[in-house]
Amino acid sequence: MPSYAWPPDRTFWTGTFPDHTTTRTTPYLFKGIIPATAAGPEYVLAGFEAIRRAHTAGAGIKAHARVYVGEDRRDDLLPTVLTATPWDTDGDDTFVPWMQDLLGTDRFSLVINNLETVSPGLAAGLGAFLESLIDGWGLPLGGAEQVAFAGNYAGTAFGIHEGYEDAFLIHLGPNAKNFYCWPAEQYEKLTGDKKPTYGDYQALLDEGEHFLLEPGDALFLPRRVFHVGTQKTFSVSVAMPLYTYPYAQILQDRIFPEVLASLAGQGPDDPLNEPSEMANAASDPGAVAERLAGVGRELLLVAADRVPEAARKHAAQRWATLRSNGGWELTEADLSRQEAATAFDPEQVMPGAEISLITPYQVIVDGERVLLRGFETGIDSATLDENTVSALNAGTSITLPDTEELLTAVRALGATGGLHLHARSADTEDTAS
């Protein structure tokens, strides 16, 4: 079995990875690439327990769990799972019978979206993998997400289905999983269309490319590949889709609305707010349509001239936001961020205290803006010198000096949920011997 550096180095992404995946177009199983210290089933179960804790507290969070029995989504059973007395958290040996008892079935599936927002351990561990991917391959403009699949299900609850983004499926164990893939053309030839296949699909499995996933393996799943997982015993996998949103979607959702809004007239004296003419009631609306079309063409020409600057601003903001959030997609209802921000005591920010960044987040200085964990801090970038930022981003702990501007900046950074703070020890007076 090949041995890979952890995290994967740049030569892996520029050489090994494209070579094994036919320039990133075919599935390939990288055996043993994820060390157990970076990611394990216990991280996923801890994230699920965090979701249960948030549910009990009535906290609105982005991460959510879904329960399946076979291929049936059982939202009616979810409240029971979220409110039951916790299982013995020593491991999956107690989690599996706990779920079986609550669901009244031997086989089940638990799916968790945005796991990175409830599992700091996985955000950091798989964040190292994502950081190396960004450095060696590129930055997905929508960021990445973690989706956990835990259970002893006979087959993925979604059936044989198509993936719409490039993704990695990282298997954490403790037991193995069978995985099958089909190129879109082959799947369509076998089934007659591109709809998911449910139920008994054994005949299709015989035609698919088979992979045996074991703990520490990472399967690359290119976009538009059909796939399904099957297993007999309990295991946990985490899918990491890379959201490479189409440029047209980014323009339509974010840039065009901003540009078009900038064309709105500024008050009654603005020529753009000139009232429309009274329409001749005896004629058809053709003249009105012609006038609207003419004004529309003029405005769109002006808008086209404004698109480049709006695109530059949006790209810079998106870039800084994602890099400061470790490459994970930004969600406001991030439980881990909320809890880290609450744990940060600004009153303990004083000379002699130590600070360090929470992995995998970064301080990004973008012109006059300073971002951490995806959020602007309101800090004057001039108060953070380049050496301080570089040291923090390198994982170095910094002892705070007696500089009020820097202490104020640290308090603002801490409010993002991106800093660890180690309070200064109580002063002791020297005593004569």
Side-chain angles (χ1 to χ4, degrees), residues 124-372:
L126 296 186
F129 185 76
L130 178 58
E131 182 181 5
S132 75
L133 180 154
I134 291 171
D135 180 61
W137 180 8
L139 177 70
L141 293 183
E145 179 193 1
Q146 293 179 19
V147 184
F149 296 85
N152 57 0
Y153 46 90
T156 306
F158 312 142
I160 300 177
H161 62 285
E162 183 178 14
Y164 294 105
E165 301 88 16
D166 290 333
F168 281 90
L169 182 65
I170 297 163
H171 194 64
L172 307 182
N175 299 302
K177 173 188 288 187
N178 293 296
F179 212 81
Y180 300 85
C181 295
W182 299 260
E185 298 80 4
Q186 180 193 14
Y187 181 83
E188 188 172 11
K189 183 178 180 180
L190 290 169
T191 65
D193 56 39
K194 293 186 178 181
K195 297 178 181 178
T197 299
Y198 298 97
D200 182 5
Y201 39 69
Q202 182 59 49
L204 288 175
L205 297 185
D206 295 339
E207 299 290 338
E209 183 177 11
H210 173 251
F211 300 93
L212 180 66
L213 274 59
E214 297 174 300
D217 293 350
L219 175 65
F220 175 63
L221 283 171
R223 64 177 77 102
R224 309 309 302 270
V225 168
F226 285 79
H227 56 270
V228 73
T230 70
Q231 56 194 34
K232 294 181 178 180
T233 53
F234 177 78
S235 74
V236 180
S237 300
V238 175
M240 196 173 81
L242 308 173
Y243 293 131
T244 47
Y245 297 143
Y247 291 116
Q249 180 182 339
I250 296 173
L251 287 163
Q252 181 179 349
D253 292 347
R254 301 293 299 275
I255 295 175
F256 285 168
E258 177 183 332
V259 169
L260 293 175
S262 73
L263 298 176
Q266 303 296 317
D269 295 328
D270 191 309
L272 289 175
N273 276 336
E274 179 182 349
S276 58
E277 299 173 354
M278 297 293 288
N280 186 343
S283 64
D284 62 44
V288 174
E290 185 177 348
R291 179 58 179 151
L292 280 171
V295 173
R297 283 193 294 267
E298 293 174 9
L299 289 179
L300 289 177
L301 288 172
V302 174
D305 289 338
R306 297 185 182 182
V307 165
E309 178 59 26
R312 279 191 292 270
K313 288 173 56 179
H314 178 82
Q317 173 123 20
R318 183 178 287 267
W319 188 277
T321 297
L322 288 173
R323 293 311 303 265
S324 73
N325 202 41
W328 302 118
E329 67 172 347
L330 181 65
T331 61
E332 292 193 12
D334 182 327
L335 179 64
S336 296
R337 187 186 74 82
Q338 294 166 359
E339 292 184 337
T342 300
F344 185 91
D345 183 1
E347 294 185 0
Q348 297 296 322
V349 177
M350 59 183 65
E354 287 189 355
I355 60 167
S356 60
L357 285 182
I358 297 175
T359 307
Y361 311 109
Q362 299 275 287
V363 176
I364 300 297
V365 179
D366 177 32
E368 296 181 354
R369 301 182 306 138
V370 178
L371 295 90
L372 176 57

